[in-house]
Amino acid sequence: VQLQASGGGLVQPGGSLRLSCLTSGFTLEYYPVGWFRQAPGKEREGVACITRDASAHYVDSAKGRFTISRDNGKNTLYLQMNNLKPEDTAVYYCVTTWCPGPEGEHFGLRGVGSWGRGTLVTVSS
C-alpha cells in the first residue's frame, strides 16, 4: 500500500491549494480514505474523509472551506482547500481510514490503516 501526497506549498491567508494523493498497491474504490494533518508541536488530527460511495465528512474546522473528492479511475484522492488560515499550517497526509468512524471516535487515529508520505502546507503572509 502506497499513498503519495503532493500539492503543498506556501500560500497567503485566504488563498487556496489543491492537494493530490496518488495511491498504489491496493484498489482505491474498495476503501474509505481521508486526509489527516499534523501541525508543528501538535498531534495528528483528522481533516476530512470520503466513503467508498463518495459520501464526504469533515471536521468542524474544515467545513465550508475544504472539499474532499476521489477519482477511482485515476487512483487519486484530492483535497481542495479554500480560504486558508495560518492555523491550517501542517503536514498533510492521505490515509486509508474508517469514515467517519464509530460515534465518539470520528476521525480517530485508531481507524487509520495506512499513512502516506505527507506534503507541507504553510499559510503565512
Side-chain angles (χ1 to χ4, degrees):
V1 174
Q2 290 191 345
L3 305 101
Q4 178 65 60
S6 62
L10 174 63
V11 62
Q12 292 186 343
S16 298
L17 280 176
R18 188 193 195 202
L19 305 184
S20 299
C21 175
L22 180 63
T23 69
S24 62
F26 66 106
T27 304
L28 178 61
E29 67 177 306
Y30 297 151
Y31 287 81
V33 286
W35 292 92
F36 276 61
R37 68 186 180 186
Q38 186 168 22
K42 295 188 177 181
E43 295 186 353
R44 292 183 178 184
E45 63 176 5
V47 176
C49 67
I50 186 166
T51 64
R52 290 180 295 174
D53 62 358
S55 176
H57 300 265
Y58 302 92
V59 297
D60 286 345
S61 60
K63 289 178 181 176
R65 300 189 300 126
F66 294 3
T67 302
I68 188 172
S69 61
R70 61 193 297 161
D71 186 332
N72 295 328
K74 294 183 178 179
N75 296 316
T76 302
L77 175 68
Y78 302 100
L79 185 68
Q80 176 67 43
M81 304 187 294
N82 298 327
N83 190 23
L84 282 161
K85 304 176 181 181
E87 51 264 42
D88 294 317
T89 294
V91 177
Y92 284 72
Y93 301 89
C94 49
V95 300
T96 59
T97 180
W98 60 28
C99 181
E103 192 66 32
E105 284 197 88
H106 287 184
F107 295 100
L109 289 172
R110 191 168 70 91
V112 176
S114 298
W115 292 88
R117 295 184 65 179
T119 186
L120 176 62
V121 172
T122 303
V123 184
S124 175
S125 55

PDB file of all heavy atoms in Angstrom, residues 9-45:
ATOM      1  N   GLY A   9       2.542  23.666  -0.281  1.00  0.00           N
ATOM      2  CA  GLY A   9       3.377  24.813  -0.588  1.00  0.00           C
ATOM      3  C   GLY A   9       3.071  25.962   0.335  1.00  0.00           C
ATOM      4  O   GLY A   9       2.358  25.805   1.325  1.00  0.00           O
ATOM      5  N   LEU A  10       3.607  27.113  -0.018  1.00  0.00           N
ATOM      6  CA  LEU A  10       3.398  28.346   0.748  1.00  0.00           C
ATOM      7  C   LEU A  10       2.274  29.141   0.108  1.00  0.00           C
ATOM      8  O   LEU A  10       2.298  29.397  -1.100  1.00  0.00           O
ATOM      9  CB  LEU A  10       4.685  29.167   0.772  1.00  0.00           C
ATOM     10  CG  LEU A  10       4.600  30.551   1.416  1.00  0.00           C
ATOM     11  CD1 LEU A  10       4.255  30.429   2.896  1.00  0.00           C
ATOM     12  CD2 LEU A  10       5.912  31.296   1.216  1.00  0.00           C
ATOM     13  N   VAL A  11       1.313  29.533   0.911  1.00  0.00           N
ATOM     14  CA  VAL A  11       0.178  30.300   0.406  1.00  0.00           C
ATOM     15  C   VAL A  11      -0.187  31.369   1.428  1.00  0.00           C
ATOM     16  O   VAL A  11       0.000  31.177   2.629  1.00  0.00           O
ATOM     17  CB  VAL A  11      -1.024  29.371   0.106  1.00  0.00           C
ATOM     18  CG1 VAL A  11      -1.510  28.677   1.366  1.00  0.00           C
ATOM     19  CG2 VAL A  11      -2.154  30.106  -0.583  1.00  0.00           C
ATOM     20  N   GLN A  12      -0.692  32.483   0.955  1.00  0.00           N
ATOM     21  CA  GLN A  12      -1.103  33.564   1.848  1.00  0.00           C
ATOM     22  C   GLN A  12      -2.460  33.254   2.479  1.00  0.00           C
ATOM     23  O   GLN A  12      -3.259  32.504   1.896  1.00  0.00           O
ATOM     24  CB  GLN A  12      -1.177  34.880   1.082  1.00  0.00           C
ATOM     25  CG  GLN A  12       0.167  35.396   0.611  1.00  0.00           C
ATOM     26  CD  GLN A  12       0.068  36.775  -0.009  1.00  0.00           C
ATOM     27  OE1 GLN A  12      -1.011  37.227  -0.380  1.00  0.00           O
ATOM     28  NE2 GLN A  12       1.197  37.450  -0.111  1.00  0.00           N
ATOM     29  N   PRO A  13      -2.724  33.829   3.637  1.00  0.00           N
ATOM     30  CA  PRO A  13      -4.059  33.651   4.231  1.00  0.00           C
ATOM     31  C   PRO A  13      -5.149  34.061   3.251  1.00  0.00           C
ATOM     32  O   PRO A  13      -5.016  35.071   2.550  1.00  0.00           O
ATOM     33  CB  PRO A  13      -4.015  34.588   5.442  1.00  0.00           C
ATOM     34  CG  PRO A  13      -2.567  34.642   5.812  1.00  0.00           C
ATOM     35  CD  PRO A  13      -1.823  34.591   4.519  1.00  0.00           C
ATOM     36  N   GLY A  14      -6.194  33.254   3.188  1.00  0.00           N
ATOM     37  CA  GLY A  14      -7.266  33.485   2.237  1.00  0.00           C
ATOM     38  C   GLY A  14      -7.065  32.795   0.909  1.00  0.00           C
ATOM     39  O   GLY A  14      -7.978  32.767   0.078  1.00  0.00           O
ATOM     40  N   GLY A  15      -5.894  32.257   0.686  1.00  0.00           N
ATOM     41  CA  GLY A  15      -5.592  31.591  -0.571  1.00  0.00           C
ATOM     42  C   GLY A  15      -6.095  30.166  -0.631  1.00  0.00           C
ATOM     43  O   GLY A  15      -6.747  29.684   0.305  1.00  0.00           O
ATOM     44  N   SER A  16      -5.779  29.501  -1.735  1.00  0.00           N
ATOM     45  CA  SER A  16      -6.253  28.137  -1.976  1.00  0.00           C
ATOM     46  C   SER A  16      -5.115  27.218  -2.401  1.00  0.00           C
ATOM     47  O   SER A  16      -4.123  27.670  -2.982  1.00  0.00           O
ATOM     48  CB  SER A  16      -7.317  28.135  -3.078  1.00  0.00           C
ATOM     49  OG  SER A  16      -8.444  28.892  -2.708  1.00  0.00           O
ATOM     50  N   LEU A  17      -5.285  25.955  -2.105  1.00  0.00           N
ATOM     51  CA  LEU A  17      -4.390  24.907  -2.575  1.00  0.00           C
ATOM     52  C   LEU A  17      -5.215  23.668  -2.861  1.00  0.00           C
ATOM     53  O   LEU A  17      -6.245  23.439  -2.215  1.00  0.00           O
ATOM     54  CB  LEU A  17      -3.327  24.552  -1.531  1.00  0.00           C
ATOM     55  CG  LEU A  17      -2.104  25.444  -1.377  1.00  0.00           C
ATOM     56  CD1 LEU A  17      -1.256  24.944  -0.215  1.00  0.00           C
ATOM     57  CD2 LEU A  17      -1.287  25.493  -2.659  1.00  0.00           C
ATOM     58  N   ARG A  18      -4.726  22.855  -3.786  1.00  0.00           N
ATOM     59  CA  ARG A  18      -5.355  21.568  -4.051  1.00  0.00           C
ATOM     60  C   ARG A  18      -4.322  20.472  -3.846  1.00  0.00           C
ATOM     61  O   ARG A  18      -3.313  20.422  -4.555  1.00  0.00           O
ATOM     62  CB  ARG A  18      -5.891  21.496  -5.472  1.00  0.00           C
ATOM     63  CG  ARG A  18      -6.721  20.241  -5.746  1.00  0.00           C
ATOM     64  CD  ARG A  18      -6.956  20.063  -7.226  1.00  0.00           C
ATOM     65  NE  ARG A  18      -8.022  19.094  -7.500  1.00  0.00           N
ATOM     66  CZ  ARG A  18      -8.144  18.448  -8.659  1.00  0.00           C
ATOM     67  NH1 ARG A  18      -7.289  18.671  -9.647  1.00  0.00           N
ATOM     68  NH2 ARG A  18      -9.141  17.588  -8.824  1.00  0.00           N
ATOM     69  N   LEU A  19      -4.568  19.640  -2.870  1.00  0.00           N
ATOM     70  CA  LEU A  19      -3.686  18.508  -2.612  1.00  0.00           C
ATOM     71  C   LEU A  19      -4.154  17.301  -3.409  1.00  0.00           C
ATOM     72  O   LEU A  19      -5.359  17.096  -3.591  1.00  0.00           O
ATOM     73  CB  LEU A  19      -3.671  18.175  -1.123  1.00  0.00           C
ATOM     74  CG  LEU A  19      -3.306  19.301  -0.167  1.00  0.00           C
ATOM     75  CD1 LEU A  19      -3.241  18.768   1.263  1.00  0.00           C
ATOM     76  CD2 LEU A  19      -2.010  19.972  -0.557  1.00  0.00           C
ATOM     77  N   SER A  20      -3.195  16.507  -3.848  1.00  0.00           N
ATOM     78  CA  SER A  20      -3.499  15.257  -4.535  1.00  0.00           C
ATOM     79  C   SER A  20      -2.797  14.120  -3.809  1.00  0.00           C
ATOM     80  O   SER A  20      -1.767  14.321  -3.157  1.00  0.00           O
ATOM     81  CB  SER A  20      -3.011  15.307  -5.985  1.00  0.00           C
ATOM     82  OG  SER A  20      -3.648  16.338  -6.707  1.00  0.00           O
ATOM     83  N   CYS A  21      -3.347  12.937  -3.933  1.00  0.00           N
ATOM     84  CA  CYS A  21      -2.739  11.745  -3.344  1.00  0.00           C
ATOM     85  C   CYS A  21      -2.871  10.597  -4.323  1.00  0.00           C
ATOM     86  O   CYS A  21      -3.974  10.102  -4.574  1.00  0.00           O
ATOM     87  CB  CYS A  21      -3.412  11.389  -2.029  1.00  0.00           C
ATOM     88  SG  CYS A  21      -2.807   9.853  -1.296  1.00  0.00           S
ATOM     89  N   LEU A  22      -1.741  10.204  -4.889  1.00  0.00           N
ATOM     90  CA  LEU A  22      -1.725   9.079  -5.819  1.00  0.00           C
ATOM     91  C   LEU A  22      -1.542   7.793  -5.024  1.00  0.00           C
ATOM     92  O   LEU A  22      -0.592   7.686  -4.244  1.00  0.00           O
ATOM     93  CB  LEU A  22      -0.600   9.250  -6.833  1.00  0.00           C
ATOM     94  CG  LEU A  22      -0.455   8.139  -7.869  1.00  0.00           C
ATOM     95  CD1 LEU A  22      -1.708   8.060  -8.735  1.00  0.00           C
ATOM     96  CD2 LEU A  22       0.781   8.377  -8.724  1.00  0.00           C
ATOM     97  N   THR A  23      -2.428   6.861  -5.214  1.00  0.00           N
ATOM     98  CA  THR A  23      -2.379   5.610  -4.464  1.00  0.00           C
ATOM     99  C   THR A  23      -1.954   4.459  -5.358  1.00  0.00           C
ATOM    100  O   THR A  23      -2.167   4.475  -6.573  1.00  0.00           O
ATOM    101  CB  THR A  23      -3.742   5.297  -3.843  1.00  0.00           C
ATOM    102  OG1 THR A  23      -4.676   4.977  -4.872  1.00  0.00           O
ATOM    103  CG2 THR A  23      -4.263   6.471  -3.045  1.00  0.00           C
ATOM    104  N   SER A  24      -1.370   3.443  -4.741  1.00  0.00           N
ATOM    105  CA  SER A  24      -0.983   2.237  -5.465  1.00  0.00           C
ATOM    106  C   SER A  24      -0.890   1.075  -4.491  1.00  0.00           C
ATOM    107  O   SER A  24      -0.834   1.274  -3.280  1.00  0.00           O
ATOM    108  CB  SER A  24       0.353   2.439  -6.192  1.00  0.00           C
ATOM    109  OG  SER A  24       1.380   2.703  -5.267  1.00  0.00           O
ATOM    110  N   GLY A  25      -0.911  -0.114  -5.042  1.00  0.00           N
ATOM    111  CA  GLY A  25      -0.788  -1.299  -4.191  1.00  0.00           C
ATOM    112  C   GLY A  25      -2.092  -1.800  -3.631  1.00  0.00           C
ATOM    113  O   GLY A  25      -2.128  -2.806  -2.923  1.00  0.00           O
ATOM    114  N   PHE A  26      -3.180  -1.103  -3.908  1.00  0.00           N
ATOM    115  CA  PHE A  26      -4.499  -1.551  -3.481  1.00  0.00           C
ATOM    116  C   PHE A  26      -5.529  -0.917  -4.416  1.00  0.00           C
ATOM    117  O   PHE A  26      -5.222   0.018  -5.154  1.00  0.00           O
ATOM    118  CB  PHE A  26      -4.783  -1.166  -2.028  1.00  0.00           C
ATOM    119  CG  PHE A  26      -4.900   0.306  -1.764  1.00  0.00           C
ATOM    120  CD1 PHE A  26      -6.147   0.883  -1.527  1.00  0.00           C
ATOM    121  CD2 PHE A  26      -3.786   1.128  -1.735  1.00  0.00           C
ATOM    122  CE1 PHE A  26      -6.261   2.238  -1.282  1.00  0.00           C
ATOM    123  CE2 PHE A  26      -3.888   2.485  -1.487  1.00  0.00           C
ATOM    124  CZ  PHE A  26      -5.128   3.048  -1.262  1.00  0.00           C
ATOM    125  N   THR A  27      -6.747  -1.415  -4.375  1.00  0.00           N
ATOM    126  CA  THR A  27      -7.802  -0.907  -5.240  1.00  0.00           C
ATOM    127  C   THR A  27      -8.557   0.178  -4.507  1.00  0.00           C
ATOM    128  O   THR A  27      -9.334  -0.088  -3.586  1.00  0.00           O
ATOM    129  CB  THR A  27      -8.754  -2.046  -5.645  1.00  0.00           C
ATOM    130  OG1 THR A  27      -7.997  -3.103  -6.259  1.00  0.00           O
ATOM    131  CG2 THR A  27      -9.790  -1.534  -6.642  1.00  0.00           C
ATOM    132  N   LEU A  28      -8.315   1.426  -4.904  1.00  0.00           N
ATOM    133  CA  LEU A  28      -8.846   2.574  -4.172  1.00  0.00           C
ATOM    134  C   LEU A  28     -10.363   2.496  -4.000  1.00  0.00           C
ATOM    135  O   LEU A  28     -10.879   2.833  -2.935  1.00  0.00           O
ATOM    136  CB  LEU A  28      -8.459   3.862  -4.895  1.00  0.00           C
ATOM    137  CG  LEU A  28      -8.974   5.156  -4.285  1.00  0.00           C
ATOM    138  CD1 LEU A  28      -8.456   5.347  -2.868  1.00  0.00           C
ATOM    139  CD2 LEU A  28      -8.590   6.357  -5.166  1.00  0.00           C
ATOM    140  N   GLU A  29     -11.083   2.048  -5.001  1.00  0.00           N
ATOM    141  CA  GLU A  29     -12.544   2.113  -4.955  1.00  0.00           C
ATOM    142  C   GLU A  29     -13.122   1.282  -3.825  1.00  0.00           C
ATOM    143  O   GLU A  29     -14.274   1.479  -3.438  1.00  0.00           O
ATOM    144  CB  GLU A  29     -13.141   1.678  -6.286  1.00  0.00           C
ATOM    145  CG  GLU A  29     -12.931   0.213  -6.631  1.00  0.00           C
ATOM    146  CD  GLU A  29     -13.625  -0.167  -7.931  1.00  0.00           C
ATOM    147  OE1 GLU A  29     -14.849   0.087  -8.037  1.00  0.00           O
ATOM    148  OE2 GLU A  29     -12.941  -0.712  -8.823  1.00  0.00           O
ATOM    149  N   TYR A  30     -12.348   0.354  -3.262  1.00  0.00           N
ATOM    150  CA  TYR A  30     -12.850  -0.528  -2.208  1.00  0.00           C
ATOM    151  C   TYR A  30     -12.638   0.041  -0.808  1.00  0.00           C
ATOM    152  O   TYR A  30     -13.044  -0.593   0.173  1.00  0.00           O
ATOM    153  CB  TYR A  30     -12.186  -1.899  -2.297  1.00  0.00           C
ATOM    154  CG  TYR A  30     -12.471  -2.660  -3.568  1.00  0.00           C
ATOM    155  CD1 TYR A  30     -11.553  -3.577  -4.079  1.00  0.00           C
ATOM    156  CD2 TYR A  30     -13.655  -2.471  -4.266  1.00  0.00           C
ATOM    157  CE1 TYR A  30     -11.815  -4.284  -5.245  1.00  0.00           C
ATOM    158  CE2 TYR A  30     -13.921  -3.167  -5.426  1.00  0.00           C
ATOM    159  CZ  TYR A  30     -12.992  -4.074  -5.911  1.00  0.00           C
ATOM    160  OH  TYR A  30     -13.254  -4.770  -7.077  1.00  0.00           O
ATOM    161  N   TYR A  31     -11.986   1.224  -0.712  1.00  0.00           N
ATOM    162  CA  TYR A  31     -11.585   1.720   0.602  1.00  0.00           C
ATOM    163  C   TYR A  31     -12.128   3.125   0.880  1.00  0.00           C
ATOM    164  O   TYR A  31     -12.102   3.993   0.000  1.00  0.00           O
ATOM    165  CB  TYR A  31     -10.063   1.781   0.697  1.00  0.00           C
ATOM    166  CG  TYR A  31      -9.415   0.425   0.823  1.00  0.00           C
ATOM    167  CD1 TYR A  31      -9.201  -0.367  -0.303  1.00  0.00           C
ATOM    168  CD2 TYR A  31      -9.026  -0.066   2.069  1.00  0.00           C
ATOM    169  CE1 TYR A  31      -8.623  -1.623  -0.189  1.00  0.00           C
ATOM    170  CE2 TYR A  31      -8.439  -1.318   2.181  1.00  0.00           C
ATOM    171  CZ  TYR A  31      -8.246  -2.081   1.058  1.00  0.00           C
ATOM    172  OH  TYR A  31      -7.672  -3.318   1.164  1.00  0.00           O
ATOM    173  N   PRO A  32     -12.545   3.373   2.111  1.00  0.00           N
ATOM    174  CA  PRO A  32     -12.727   4.750   2.553  1.00  0.00           C
ATOM    175  C   PRO A  32     -11.340   5.340   2.801  1.00  0.00           C
ATOM    176  O   PRO A  32     -10.439   4.644   3.307  1.00  0.00           O
ATOM    177  CB  PRO A  32     -13.517   4.613   3.858  1.00  0.00           C
ATOM    178  CG  PRO A  32     -13.183   3.257   4.362  1.00  0.00           C
ATOM    179  CD  PRO A  32     -12.877   2.400   3.171  1.00  0.00           C
ATOM    180  N   VAL A  33     -11.168   6.574   2.435  1.00  0.00           N
ATOM    181  CA  VAL A  33      -9.865   7.230   2.572  1.00  0.00           C
ATOM    182  C   VAL A  33     -10.065   8.640   3.089  1.00  0.00           C
ATOM    183  O   VAL A  33     -11.186   9.149   3.132  1.00  0.00           O
ATOM    184  CB  VAL A  33      -9.109   7.259   1.222  1.00  0.00           C
ATOM    185  CG1 VAL A  33      -8.566   5.885   0.876  1.00  0.00           C
ATOM    186  CG2 VAL A  33     -10.005   7.771   0.087  1.00  0.00           C
ATOM    187  N   GLY A  34      -8.970   9.270   3.463  1.00  0.00           N
ATOM    188  CA  GLY A  34      -9.125  10.620   4.010  1.00  0.00           C
ATOM    189  C   GLY A  34      -7.812  11.354   4.120  1.00  0.00           C
ATOM    190  O   GLY A  34      -6.766  10.888   3.660  1.00  0.00           O
ATOM    191  N   TRP A  35      -7.899  12.508   4.734  1.00  0.00           N
ATOM    192  CA  TRP A  35      -6.745  13.375   4.975  1.00  0.00           C
ATOM    193  C   TRP A  35      -6.637  13.663   6.460  1.00  0.00           C
ATOM    194  O   TRP A  35      -7.640  13.991   7.125  1.00  0.00           O
ATOM    195  CB  TRP A  35      -6.901  14.692   4.219  1.00  0.00           C
ATOM    196  CG  TRP A  35      -6.824  14.554   2.733  1.00  0.00           C
ATOM    197  CD1 TRP A  35      -7.863  14.365   1.858  1.00  0.00           C
ATOM    198  CD2 TRP A  35      -5.636  14.591   1.927  1.00  0.00           C
ATOM    199  NE1 TRP A  35      -7.395  14.275   0.575  1.00  0.00           N
ATOM    200  CE2 TRP A  35      -6.036  14.420   0.589  1.00  0.00           C
ATOM    201  CE3 TRP A  35      -4.282  14.771   2.202  1.00  0.00           C
ATOM    202  CZ2 TRP A  35      -5.123  14.415  -0.474  1.00  0.00           C
ATOM    203  CZ3 TRP A  35      -3.385  14.766   1.153  1.00  0.00           C
ATOM    204  CH2 TRP A  35      -3.795  14.583  -0.168  1.00  0.00           C
ATOM    205  N   PHE A  36      -5.435  13.537   6.962  1.00  0.00           N
ATOM    206  CA  PHE A  36      -5.079  13.948   8.311  1.00  0.00           C
ATOM    207  C   PHE A  36      -3.987  14.996   8.199  1.00  0.00           C
ATOM    208  O   PHE A  36      -3.378  15.159   7.134  1.00  0.00           O
ATOM    209  CB  PHE A  36      -4.574  12.741   9.125  1.00  0.00           C
ATOM    210  CG  PHE A  36      -5.671  11.919   9.746  1.00  0.00           C
ATOM    211  CD1 PHE A  36      -6.626  11.288   8.963  1.00  0.00           C
ATOM    212  CD2 PHE A  36      -5.755  11.774  11.125  1.00  0.00           C
ATOM    213  CE1 PHE A  36      -7.644  10.530   9.538  1.00  0.00           C
ATOM    214  CE2 PHE A  36      -6.763  11.016  11.709  1.00  0.00           C
ATOM    215  CZ  PHE A  36      -7.699  10.396  10.914  1.00  0.00           C
ATOM    216  N   ARG A  37      -3.717  15.688   9.284  1.00  0.00           N
ATOM    217  CA  ARG A  37      -2.644  16.673   9.273  1.00  0.00           C
ATOM    218  C   ARG A  37      -1.969  16.716  10.637  1.00  0.00           C
ATOM    219  O   ARG A  37      -2.537  16.314  11.636  1.00  0.00           O
ATOM    220  CB  ARG A  37      -3.169  18.059   8.890  1.00  0.00           C
ATOM    221  CG  ARG A  37      -4.094  18.697   9.930  1.00  0.00           C
ATOM    222  CD  ARG A  37      -4.667  19.995   9.382  1.00  0.00           C
ATOM    223  NE  ARG A  37      -5.564  20.629  10.346  1.00  0.00           N
ATOM    224  CZ  ARG A  37      -6.293  21.708  10.082  1.00  0.00           C
ATOM    225  NH1 ARG A  37      -6.237  22.278   8.891  1.00  0.00           N
ATOM    226  NH2 ARG A  37      -7.073  22.217  11.024  1.00  0.00           N
ATOM    227  N   GLN A  38      -0.752  17.222  10.628  1.00  0.00           N
ATOM    228  CA  GLN A  38      -0.015  17.408  11.877  1.00  0.00           C
ATOM    229  C   GLN A  38       0.658  18.764  11.852  1.00  0.00           C
ATOM    230  O   GLN A  38       1.560  19.006  11.024  1.00  0.00           O
ATOM    231  CB  GLN A  38       1.024  16.307  12.092  1.00  0.00           C
ATOM    232  CG  GLN A  38       1.703  16.384  13.444  1.00  0.00           C
ATOM    233  CD  GLN A  38       2.508  15.151  13.772  1.00  0.00           C
ATOM    234  OE1 GLN A  38       2.919  14.391  12.906  1.00  0.00           O
ATOM    235  NE2 GLN A  38       2.730  14.914  15.065  1.00  0.00           N
ATOM    236  N   ALA A  39       0.200  19.638  12.716  1.00  0.00           N
ATOM    237  CA  ALA A  39       0.788  20.961  12.848  1.00  0.00           C
ATOM    238  C   ALA A  39       2.015  20.890  13.747  1.00  0.00           C
ATOM    239  O   ALA A  39       2.138  19.974  14.564  1.00  0.00           O
ATOM    240  CB  ALA A  39      -0.247  21.917  13.434  1.00  0.00           C
ATOM    241  N   PRO A  40       2.916  21.851  13.624  1.00  0.00           N
ATOM    242  CA  PRO A  40       4.122  21.852  14.459  1.00  0.00           C
ATOM    243  C   PRO A  40       3.778  21.795  15.938  1.00  0.00           C
ATOM    244  O   PRO A  40       2.977  22.588  16.433  1.00  0.00           O
ATOM    245  CB  PRO A  40       4.794  23.178  14.091  1.00  0.00           C
ATOM    246  CG  PRO A  40       4.309  23.483  12.722  1.00  0.00           C
ATOM    247  CD  PRO A  40       2.913  22.976  12.662  1.00  0.00           C
ATOM    248  N   GLY A  41       4.369  20.845  16.632  1.00  0.00           N
ATOM    249  CA  GLY A  41       4.160  20.737  18.061  1.00  0.00           C
ATOM    250  C   GLY A  41       2.828  20.159  18.485  1.00  0.00           C
ATOM    251  O   GLY A  41       2.512  20.145  19.674  1.00  0.00           O
ATOM    252  N   LYS A  42       2.042  19.690  17.528  1.00  0.00           N
ATOM    253  CA  LYS A  42       0.716  19.156  17.848  1.00  0.00           C
ATOM    254  C   LYS A  42       0.596  17.708  17.377  1.00  0.00           C
ATOM    255  O   LYS A  42       1.384  17.225  16.583  1.00  0.00           O
ATOM    256  CB  LYS A  42      -0.372  20.021  17.216  1.00  0.00           C
ATOM    257  CG  LYS A  42      -0.429  21.431  17.769  1.00  0.00           C
ATOM    258  CD  LYS A  42      -1.645  22.179  17.250  1.00  0.00           C
ATOM    259  CE  LYS A  42      -1.742  23.560  17.861  1.00  0.00           C
ATOM    260  NZ  LYS A  42      -2.945  24.301  17.379  1.00  0.00           N
ATOM    261  N   GLU A  43      -0.437  17.051  17.853  1.00  0.00           N
ATOM    262  CA  GLU A  43      -0.692  15.679  17.440  1.00  0.00           C
ATOM    263  C   GLU A  43      -1.400  15.649  16.090  1.00  0.00           C
ATOM    264  O   GLU A  43      -2.013  16.624  15.666  1.00  0.00           O
ATOM    265  CB  GLU A  43      -1.548  14.971  18.494  1.00  0.00           C
ATOM    266  CG  GLU A  43      -0.854  14.806  19.834  1.00  0.00           C
ATOM    267  CD  GLU A  43      -1.673  13.985  20.812  1.00  0.00           C
ATOM    268  OE1 GLU A  43      -2.825  13.656  20.488  1.00  0.00           O
ATOM    269  OE2 GLU A  43      -1.159  13.679  21.900  1.00  0.00           O
ATOM    270  N   ARG A  44      -1.314  14.504  15.451  1.00  0.00           N
ATOM    271  CA  ARG A  44      -2.024  14.333  14.192  1.00  0.00           C
ATOM    272  C   ARG A  44      -3.533  14.379  14.424  1.00  0.00           C
ATOM    273  O   ARG A  44      -4.025  13.886  15.435  1.00  0.00           O
ATOM    274  CB  ARG A  44      -1.636  13.006  13.534  1.00  0.00           C
ATOM    275  CG  ARG A  44      -0.193  12.984  13.062  1.00  0.00           C
ATOM    276  CD  ARG A  44       0.155  11.698  12.357  1.00  0.00           C
ATOM    277  NE  ARG A  44       1.535  11.725  11.882  1.00  0.00           N
ATOM    278  CZ  ARG A  44       2.101  10.763  11.161  1.00  0.00           C
ATOM    279  NH1 ARG A  44       1.410   9.689  10.827  1.00  0.00           N
ATOM    280  NH2 ARG A  44       3.351  10.878  10.773  1.00  0.00           N
ATOM    281  N   GLU A  45      -4.246  14.969  13.469  1.00  0.00           N
ATOM    282  CA  GLU A  45      -5.694  15.079  13.591  1.00  0.00           C
ATOM    283  C   GLU A  45      -6.344  14.876  12.234  1.00  0.00           C
ATOM    284  O   GLU A  45      -5.750  15.156  11.190  1.00  0.00           O
ATOM    285  CB  GLU A  45      -6.081  16.458  14.137  1.00  0.00           C
ATOM    286  CG  GLU A  45      -5.691  17.614  13.248  1.00  0.00           C
ATOM    287  CD  GLU A  45      -6.165  18.955  13.768  1.00  0.00           C
ATOM    288  OE1 GLU A  45      -6.719  19.004  14.888  1.00  0.00           O
ATOM    289  OE2 GLU A  45      -5.974  19.957  13.054  1.00  0.00           O
TER     290      GLU A  45
END
